[in-house]
Structure formats: structure tokens, C-alpha cells
Amino acid sequence: MPSKSEKTKRKKGNDSSIDESQNGNNSSLLNSILGAAHNVLYGTSTHSNEQQLTASPTPPAMMSTVTMSTSTPISATRPGTIDPDDDIRRQIASTNVKLDEILVRLAKLDVIEAKLSALDNSVTSLNVRVNVVEVKTTELEKSVDFISDTVEEAKSALDTVKSVGNAVNETKAAIQDIKSMKKVQVDSQRHERTIETMCKSMDTLRKQNRELEEQITDLRWRSMKNNLIITGLPGENRGEDTERTVRAFLDCEMGIKNVAIGNTHRFGRFNRGKPRPIVIRFLFAHDREMVLRNRYKLRGSPFSVREQFPVEMEDRRKKLFPVADQMRDRGHHVKIVRDKLFVDGELYDPSDDDEPELDDREEEEFLDADDGMGTTIDTSMNLR
């Protein structure tokens, strides 16, 4: 039978083995927790974690002790040491805060990306509009340059005509002196031939001058090709927005919306009792033609819509309107192209310059009658 001292030693040995087993289990649990924290913080693969867990397995006999350790925080720590669990929790909490900040910044980046996409679309649309405006501006600049060159040529030709006229006057004076002297008949004949030549040159220059005037008139008409004139619109004042007035008129009186207008303004001498007409420049010819096709809706109203022509063309057109009215009453097919009148497909040659002229209101009534009866008034043909 063992003695009391042997029992005491044996009991102490069992207690020490139990303490060592608990310390080993606590060490294994701590290693498992540290491995899981390492995975969360640094992304260590699952395979390495499994190796760590396999390298330090928990003995089956101490599972109850491990369970108690994982569910109950270790409160018995040695003085002056740092609890690893607290360090891990702080690291996990810090990581969660950083992840939340990253998510907030990502959400802001999504909003910024959406705004940048909308801004990019707006810039693209503006670039397209700017390109269209640049193309139109280039075309207008070319037209203005061509008109300026033609005007300069016309001025040069007019100066030549004036100089030739002065030369002719001087020659005529010399001829009168020569005729009074019988001794210089030969010189007189030579000067007469010179005068004849110069007279022919004068005729040629007059013809060229008329052609240049016609070309200038044609160029002026082409610059007005997309213009229309509206009369009778009230509301004229110093700060008037004429484009808004025109759009309201087209919408209310003619049922036309969304037309591309370049610019609008009133013209003529100011009359307090009568609003001045408004000239409109359309950016596209089809918008202008649509307004012309719908002007029959203005019958019986104080408003009128007509095309804009140079003064020379307007004077010739006013002489043609009563003739066209008479021809139409006689059953002829009438068509006015700019300042030319075609009767049954043949160009009308005005032999009488004393035909009665129409004022603007009678002209509009004539054009409205043509629109209603199907008579074609073509303004797109380029006839010289």
C-alpha cells in the first residue's frame, strides 16, 4: 500500500500533467484564432489555414476545454502582457472601418462616373452643334467673299465706263473743233472712226454693266433665299424679342413648331401707329417652304407672309402680278419664277411698261389665290 508521501507526489504529477494539457489546448486555440485573423487581414489561403490547423490539432480529450475557451473570453492574463484576442479584435474593427470608408468612396465614384458620362454626352452634342454652325459660317463667309469680289469688279467696270464717257465727251469737243477747220478733214474722219469704236465699246460696257447688275441682284437674292417677311405682328418695343414673337405667331396662327431660325429683326422706318414688318432667316430651306405652304391659313387675318427679294426684283414682280392675274382669269396656266412670268410654259415678254402695280396686300392676296387654286409659284429655279 503506497505511503502518504507517494500519494501526494502522484497527485502533484497528475495536476501538473493536467495543467500542461490545458496550456497546450490554449496554445492550439490561440494559434487557430491567430490564423483566422491573418486570413481576414492579409488574405492567406484556406489551404495554409488547414495546414496550420492540421499541424496543431486539438486532442479529443480536451475538446470540452477548447469549447469553454472559445465561448468564454480568457480573463486570466499575466500582468504586463497583451491579450492577443484584443489585438485581433482591434485589427478587425480597424479593417471594417477602412472597408466602410472604401465602400463610401466607391459609391461617390459611381456618382461621379454617372455625372461624367452625362457631361460627356452634353459635350458631344455641343460639338455636333458647333460643327454645324462652323459649316454654315464657312458657307456664309464664302458667299460674302464672292459678293464682295463681284461688287469690286462692278465698281471697277463703272469707273471704266465713267472714264470712257469722259473720253467720249472730250472727243466730241475735238470733233466740233475739227469740223470747223476744213484743213483737218482727214483727222476728223479718223476721230469719227475712233468715236464709232468708242461708242461700240460704250455699248459693250453698258451691256456688261447690266449683266453685272443682274449678277449682283442675283447674288443678293441668293443671300435672301431662306428669308421670309411677316407683316402685321404687333408688340413692337425697344426690348422686344422678335424671335419669340415669330415663334408664337407660327405656333398660334399657322400651327408650326420646331423650326430652325437663324435670326430675326424688324426693318423699315418706325411708324408709331403701324408695326414694322419682321424678316426671318431660316437655317433650312424645308422649314421656309413649310411656312409658305401653310400661309393660306392667314386668309382673312391682319397678318401676311411673303418672300424677300431685292428691290429691283420687287419692282419687276409688282409689274407682273396684275398681268398674271389677267392671264389666269383668261384660263391660262400662270407661274411666277422670281421676277419672270411664264404663261402656259412660255416666258412672258412685257412690252408695256405702264401696267398697274400691286401693293403688298394685293400681292399677298394674289399669292394666296395661287396657293388655293394650285398655280405654281416656283422660287427655286435659277433663271437669268
Side-chain angles (χ1 to χ4, degrees):
M1 186 171 183
S3 64
K4 186 176 181 180
S5 60
E6 291 176 353
K7 290 182 179 180
T8 303
K9 291 179 181 180
R10 199 176 293 173
K11 184 175 180 181
K12 289 182 179 178
N14 292 333
D15 293 336
S16 63
S17 62
I18 291 171
D19 291 336
E20 290 175 358
S21 299
Q22 288 180 351
N23 292 332
N25 291 333
N26 290 336
S27 178
S28 300
L29 176 61
L30 181 59
N31 290 333
S32 300
I33 294 172
L34 289 174
H38 191 277
N39 290 341
V40 173
L41 293 174
Y42 305 104
T44 307
S45 64
T46 307
H47 181 66
S48 62
N49 295 336
E50 292 177 354
Q51 289 179 351
Q52 291 177 1
L53 293 175
T54 304
S56 58
T58 304
M62 303 301 296
M63 286 300 293
S64 61
T65 306
V66 172
T67 305
M68 292 176 61
S69 300
T70 57
S71 60
T72 306
I74 300 174
S75 60
T77 57
R78 294 180 182 179
T81 61
I82 298 174
D83 190 356
D85 293 343
D86 293 338
D87 187 23
I88 292 170
R89 291 189 189 96
R90 285 194 297 271
Q91 292 181 3
I92 292 174
S94 176
T95 304
N96 289 333
V97 171
K98 292 180 180 179
L99 288 175
D100 292 338
E101 293 177 355
I102 291 172
L103 290 175
V104 171
R105 293 181 180 180
L106 287 176
K108 293 180 178 180
L109 287 176
D110 291 337
V111 174
I112 292 173
E113 183 179 3
K115 292 182 178 180
L116 287 175
S117 178
L119 182 61
D120 185 46
N121 294 334
S122 300
V123 170
T124 302
S125 176
L126 287 175
N127 286 335
V128 172
R129 295 182 181 179
V130 167
N131 291 335
V132 173
V133 172
E134 288 179 352
V135 171
K136 296 293 182 182
T137 303
T138 303
E139 293 178 355
L140 288 175
E141 288 177 352
K142 291 180 179 179
S143 299
V144 170
D145 292 339
F146 181 72
I147 292 172
S148 299
D149 294 339
T150 306
V151 170
E152 292 298 329
E153 292 177 0
K155 289 181 179 178
S156 177
L158 290 174
D159 292 338
T160 304
V161 170
K162 290 179 180 179
S163 62
V164 172
N166 294 331
V168 170
N169 293 330
E170 293 175 359
T171 305
K172 288 181 178 180
I175 290 174
Q176 294 297 328
D177 294 337
I178 291 170
K179 286 183 178 180
S180 64
M181 301 171 62
K182 296 181 179 180
K183 297 180 181 180
V184 290
Q185 292 182 355
V186 177
D187 293 337
S188 178
Q189 293 175 357
R190 186 176 66 250
H191 281 290
E192 286 178 355
R193 288 193 297 269
T194 303
I195 289 174
E196 290 177 359
T197 304
M198 297 183 71
C199 288
K200 291 180 181 179
S201 299
M202 282 286 294
D203 293 337
T204 303
L205 289 174
R206 288 193 183 96
K207 183 178 180 181
Q208 292 177 354
N209 186 36
R210 286 194 297 270
E211 292 176 354
L212 287 175
E213 289 177 351
E214 289 294 328
Q215 291 178 5
I216 292 173
T217 301
D218 181 72
L219 289 174
R220 291 178 59 195
W221 171 78
R222 289 180 185 278
S223 67
M224 301 174 180
K225 194 172 183 180
N226 286 343
N227 294 4
L228 288 179
I229 295 175
I230 300 179
T231 58
L233 290 181
E236 181 177 1
N237 55 68
R238 185 178 296 276
E240 178 188 12
D241 186 350
T242 55
E243 182 175 348
R244 179 179 295 179
T245 302
V246 168
R247 290 187 181 278
F249 165 76
L250 294 177
D251 185 13
C252 297
E253 300 295 335
M254 306 181 75
I256 297 175
K257 299 179 180 180
N258 300 326
V259 293
I261 296 176
N263 53 59
T264 61
H265 65 273
R266 293 185 184 268
F267 67 98
R269 181 175 297 178
F270 179 79
N271 187 351
R272 187 177 298 275
K274 181 180 180 181
R276 294 182 296 168
I278 297 179
V279 61
I280 313 168
R281 177 181 291 277
F282 293 91
L283 294 181
F284 303 107
H286 61 83
D287 289 338
R288 172 183 175 274
E289 297 301 324
M290 179 172 60
V291 174
L292 284 177
R293 286 195 303 270
N294 287 273
R295 64 181 174 182
Y296 69 90
K297 298 178 181 179
L298 302 178
R299 292 176 184 172
S301 69
F303 312 113
S304 65
V305 176
R306 58 187 176 89
E307 301 171 84
Q308 186 182 26
F309 294 97
V311 178
E312 297 83 1
M313 283 190 180
E314 286 284 2
D315 293 339
R316 290 194 288 265
R317 284 170 61 87
K318 286 181 179 180
K319 293 179 180 180
L320 293 177
F321 285 130
V323 178
D325 199 8
Q326 294 175 3
M327 293 296 180
R328 189 178 60 188
D329 292 340
R330 297 174 186 173
H332 295 284
H333 180 74
V334 178
K335 180 167 65 175
I336 294 179
V337 181
R338 291 169 55 185
D339 57 347
K340 303 292 189 299
L341 173 62
F342 291 85
V343 179
D344 296 332
E346 295 183 1
L347 179 63
Y348 173 76
D349 185 12
S351 57
D352 187 4
D353 294 335
D354 296 330
E355 293 289 343
E357 297 183 358
L358 298 177
D359 57 16
D360 292 341
R361 171 54 60 181
E362 291 173 336
E363 176 183 348
E364 292 299 326
E365 292 176 355
F366 173 80
L367 294 176
D368 290 341
D370 285 339
D371 291 342
M373 299 184 64
T375 304
T376 303
I377 299 179
D378 189 359
T379 60
S380 61
M381 295 179 64
N382 180 15
L383 298 177
R384 296 187 181 274

